[in-house]
Amino acid sequence: MLRRMFATRAMHSQRQVGERAAQVIDRVIFDMGVERLVQGSFGLDRHCRPHFSSAPAARGRDVVTVALAQLAECTALSGVAKRDPDPAVLRMYKAAVVDGLLREFRARSPRFRALPVVQAAQRIAERSAPDSK
């Protein structure tokens, strides 16, 4: 019972994985900086939870690992961060990194591809919302 109570939950949609990856990227940039982010790697475990490691890609508990230095979006983010950009510009490049990361997860993980793009409850709410015309 305690294990279930304190365990991190599995992700139920690709959108949740993307949102969590964006949160982790923001935190890593705040704590360690962009250069440390680019040198690290992201992993996706068997419950489709994203994990950051500041070390180069190592398989370990993760089913899929992506070295961030290999993503073109990270190279662009690193270049922009060196020029001391506007926060709005930096957010745009961080969003591109998340998109690139999700692209790699889709390419490498059948479990991730099996996740719905949005949650079923959100789809129901979108269908039942009145049109704004």
Side-chain angles (χ1 to χ4, degrees):
M1 182 173 96
L2 288 175
R3 185 177 294 152
R4 277 187 284 141
M5 190 167 79
F6 291 112
T8 55
R9 304 217 168 145
M11 297 287 150
H12 299 291
S13 72
Q14 291 182 15
R15 183 177 181 165
Q16 275 186 329
V17 174
E19 289 170 354
R20 179 64 185 148
Q23 291 171 351
V24 172
I25 288 171
D26 281 340
R27 192 69 201 180
V28 169
I29 289 174
F30 180 77
D31 289 344
M32 295 188 257
V34 172
E35 289 306 315
R36 193 67 172 166
L37 172 76
V38 173
Q39 294 171 1
S41 60
F42 252 92
L44 193 67
D45 69 7
R46 63 188 175 100
H47 297 291
C48 290
R49 295 177 299 214
H51 300 277
F52 174 77
S53 173
S54 60
R59 192 125 173 155
R61 69 178 173 181
D62 297 327
V63 176
V64 176
T65 56
V66 176
L68 293 175
Q70 295 175 350
L71 292 178
E73 294 88 353
C74 281
T75 306
L77 174 67
S78 180
V80 167
K82 289 178 184 175
R83 288 181 268 151
D84 195 30
D86 180 41
V89 173
L90 196 58
R91 268 193 304 276
M92 183 178 68
Y93 280 91
K94 287 189 289 188
V97 170
V98 171
D99 290 342
L101 193 58
L102 294 180
R103 179 189 67 235
E104 291 298 318
F105 288 160
R106 270 187 217 100
R108 299 179 187 191
S109 174
R111 281 187 182 191
F112 183 76
R113 284 191 302 268
L115 290 175
V117 177
V118 295
Q119 290 181 330
Q122 184 178 359
R123 283 185 283 189
I124 292 169
E126 288 171 354
R127 282 187 291 204
S128 64
D131 290 332
S132 60
K133 290 182 182 180

